[in-house]
């Protein structure tokens, strides 16, 4: 009987880890990304890089006024890069997200306040367990107003005394943004067990809790739970 339970356990683990990977490989894994050019009517876009894009979707998607968060790649010159190309390095792209938000409900300043609370802005060699330029941080401004707000936000953080090292997150002009393969979108929902396991072992939450403490969660309106 004990052997049967061992086999059942193995089958469950295979289902959790192997099936999603097989599905991704057979459907979207080998496909290229696609350029994103249109912004939904009535919304503005914030383009942000904070390391693994799986971890950057949830904090923004729960905010009231945010329509959608799209994972993708930006900053490089390679057109329609694949995940494998970007993650291997050398494309010039970094993993990023585009946050589509209603400025009448949530402001760009507030989006950036949330952003700073997801990253280590003093690390210019990657983020947490993910190392390499492709996992570094950045704010990509889409207009001059965003640039000014981003610079003020970064300066305020540097002057806050919360960090004893330089804030190295660059503020860069937005470039072509390529939507990542479909299996990456909302990964934290589609593969919750694997996402939770990865995030729990990445060191991100431990760092953010130490750094921000009770200030980690902002008092911003959230979407109603569905």
């Amino acid at each position: 009987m004990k052997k049967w339970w061992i086999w059942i356990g193995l089958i469950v683990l295979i289902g959790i880890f192997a099936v999603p990977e097989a599905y991704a490989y057979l459907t979207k894994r080998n496909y290229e990304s696609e350029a994103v050019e249109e912004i939904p009517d009535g919304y503005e876009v914030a383009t942000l890089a904070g390391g693994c894009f799986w971890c950057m979707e949830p904090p923004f998607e729960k905010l009231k006024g945010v329509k959608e968060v799209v994972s993708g790649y930006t900053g490089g010159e390679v057109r329609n890069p694949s995940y494998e190309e970007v993650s291997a390095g050398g494309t010039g792209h970094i993993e990023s997200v585009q946050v589509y938000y209603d400025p009448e409900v949530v402001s760009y300043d507030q989006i950036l306040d949330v952003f700073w609370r997801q990253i280590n802005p003093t690390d210019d060699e990657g983020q947490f367990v993910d190392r390499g330029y492709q996992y570094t941080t950045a704010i990509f401004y889409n207009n001059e107003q965003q640039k000014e707000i981003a610079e003020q936000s970064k300066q305020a953080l540097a002057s806050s005394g919360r960090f004893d090292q330089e804030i190295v997150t660059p503020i860069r002009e937005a470039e072509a943004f390529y939507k990542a393969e479909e299996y990456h979108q909302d990964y934290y929902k589609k593969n919750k067990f694997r996402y939770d396991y990865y995030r729990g072992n990445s060191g991100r939450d431990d760092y953010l809790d130490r750094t921000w403490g009770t200030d980690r969660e902002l008092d911003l309106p959230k979407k109603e739970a569905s």
Side-chain angles (χ1 to χ4, degrees):
M1 181 62 70
K2 185 176 181 180
K3 289 183 177 180
W4 278 109
W5 281 112
I6 293 174
W7 279 108
I8 291 172
L10 288 173
I11 291 171
V12 170
L13 287 174
I14 290 172
I16 290 171
F17 288 98
V19 172
E21 285 299 306
Y23 172 78
Y25 182 83
L26 294 172
T27 55
K28 293 291 183 179
R29 181 173 289 278
N30 293 327
Y31 287 31
E32 296 177 331
S33 55
E34 56 180 329
V36 175
E37 298 178 355
E38 296 184 2
I39 299 173
D41 291 340
Y43 290 86
E44 294 184 5
V45 59
T47 308
L48 307 165
C52 172
F53 46 31
W54 295 347
C55 296
M56 295 300 290
E57 287 191 11
F60 297 107
E61 287 199 334
K62 68 182 181 182
L63 295 178
K64 191 172 183 179
V66 171
K67 177 180 177 61
E68 183 183 11
V69 181
V70 176
S71 287
Y73 320 109
T74 194
E77 297 182 357
V78 177
R79 296 183 60 185
N80 303 108
S82 69
Y83 173 71
E84 283 76 11
E85 290 173 329
V86 175
S87 61
T91 65
H93 289 293
I94 56 180
E95 288 197 9
S96 310
V97 293
Q98 292 223 118
V99 181
Y100 299 107
Y101 67 99
D102 182 348
E104 298 296 322
V105 180
V106 59
S107 69
Y108 188 65
D109 307 66
Q110 292 171 325
I111 293 290
L112 292 182
D113 285 342
V114 173
F115 170 71
W116 294 123
R117 286 164 169 78
Q118 312 309 316
I119 67 170
N120 177 356
T122 69
D123 189 349
D124 61 0
E125 296 183 353
Q127 285 291 284
F128 311 107
V129 73
D130 297 306
R131 312 312 299 162
Y133 173 77
Q134 63 272 33
Y135 295 109
T136 54
T137 65
I139 298 172
F140 293 91
Y141 62 88
N142 290 277
N143 52 54
E144 288 302 310
Q145 183 181 24
Q146 285 192 352
K147 179 182 180 182
E148 181 178 349
I149 293 172
E151 289 174 343
Q152 292 173 352
S153 180
K154 180 178 178 179
Q155 182 57 49
L157 186 69
S159 302
S160 69
R162 190 172 295 275
F163 299 93
D164 56 8
Q165 294 177 285
E166 180 185 1
I167 305 300
V168 297
T169 298
I171 297 171
R172 302 169 52 183
E173 185 175 5
E175 303 177 42
F177 181 91
Y178 297 94
K179 181 179 179 181
E181 297 84 339
E182 188 59 34
Y183 74 96
H184 285 299
Q185 309 302 324
D186 288 328
Y187 191 89
Y188 72 102
K189 296 178 182 178
K190 296 174 181 175
N191 295 284
K192 186 178 186 306
F193 183 91
R194 298 191 69 212
Y195 169 77
D196 289 346
Y197 180 82
Y198 159 77
R199 175 142 191 162
N201 288 279
S202 70
R204 186 184 291 259
D205 288 319
D206 291 338
Y207 171 85
L208 297 177
D209 284 339
R210 290 196 309 270
T211 302
W212 291 95
T214 57
D215 294 329
R216 181 177 173 185
E217 287 296 324
L218 292 167
D219 186 20
L220 295 176
K222 305 293 193 302
K223 296 175 182 174
E224 295 182 4
S226 55

